[in-house]
């Protein structure tokens, strides 16, 4: 996102001269509020031509498959294994994979994916999923 110098507004100015801040938003379409010379907030003017606000504010959908997300998490995990429920939570919290309705994949889906990709994963007792040796 490109921001002109005149669109950089101090936090103090936001508190003391709100009208001026909105004038800059009207003129430039956005302002970046700085505190201690670091960006703190971005204030954008809504453009109805951009589409419904719900679509603009919706998080982007991850582009990984569930098995790719599982592999990515397990590669970085000590022992390359994790309980299916914990693995599902980590994948969701990192927004690596979401179901089509935007919800979290459940642990039983993670567990089931192991049987579909036996060359990548091994299901250990206790619903522990392990990335097989040699998978990178």
């Amino acid at each position: 996102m490109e921001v002109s110098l005149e669109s950089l507004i101090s936090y103090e100015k936001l508190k003391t001269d709100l009208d001026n801040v909105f004038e800059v938003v009207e003129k430039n379409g956005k302002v970046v509020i700085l505190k201690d010379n670091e960006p703190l907030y971005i204030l954008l003017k809504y453009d109805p031509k951009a589409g419904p606000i719900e679509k603009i504010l919706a998080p982007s959908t991850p582009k990984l498959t569930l098995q790719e997300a599982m592999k990515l998490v397990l590669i970085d995990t000590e022992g390359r294994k994790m309980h299916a429920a914990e693995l599902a939570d980590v994948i969701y919290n990192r927004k690596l994979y979401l179901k089509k309705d935007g919800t979290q994949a459940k642990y039983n889906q993670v567990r089931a994916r192991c049987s579909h990709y036996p060359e990548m994963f091994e299901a250990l007792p206790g619903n522990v999923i392990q990335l097989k040796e040699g998978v990178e």
Side-chain angles (χ1 to χ4, degrees):
M1 171 191 323
E2 288 188 33
V3 179
S4 66
L5 284 177
E6 60 190 33
S7 293
L8 301 175
I9 306 286
S10 73
Y11 184 72
E12 292 305 314
K13 187 168 190 168
L14 172 70
K15 295 190 318 187
T16 60
D17 194 0
L18 192 57
D19 288 339
N20 179 261
V21 172
F22 281 106
E23 286 173 17
V24 175
V25 172
E26 281 297 320
K27 180 180 175 191
N28 299 326
K30 63 186 161 259
V31 296
V32 176
I33 311 297
L34 302 173
K35 187 171 185 181
D36 299 325
N37 288 326
E38 294 288 330
L40 184 64
Y41 301 106
I42 299 174
L43 185 60
L44 300 171
K45 182 178 179 183
Y46 172 65
D47 179 5
K49 291 181 270 178
I53 192 75
E54 296 82 15
K55 185 169 181 147
I56 295 167
L57 297 177
S60 61
T61 306
K63 304 294 185 227
L64 296 177
T65 62
L66 181 54
Q67 65 273 12
E68 291 169 336
M70 292 166 58
K71 177 181 155 187
L72 189 66
V73 171
L74 291 172
I75 282 174
D76 294 335
T77 303
E78 187 176 329
R80 297 167 54 114
K81 60 185 169 184
M82 187 180 288
H83 189 276
E86 183 184 3
L87 182 55
D89 288 342
V90 171
I91 289 168
Y92 180 73
N93 291 336
R94 289 177 52 186
K95 301 293 183 226
L96 298 174
Y97 173 84
L98 299 173
K99 296 188 325 187
K100 288 180 184 175
D101 64 2
T103 60
Q104 175 179 354
K106 302 296 182 204
Y107 79 92
N108 57 342
Q109 291 173 281
V110 170
R111 172 64 180 82
R113 199 59 60 107
C114 287
S115 60
H116 294 306
Y117 292 89
E119 70 283 359
M120 291 176 69
F121 306 105
E122 184 177 356
L124 303 175
N127 269 339
V128 174
I129 310 301
Q130 183 171 26
L131 189 63
K132 286 197 171 178
E133 288 296 319
V135 175
E136 293 301 322

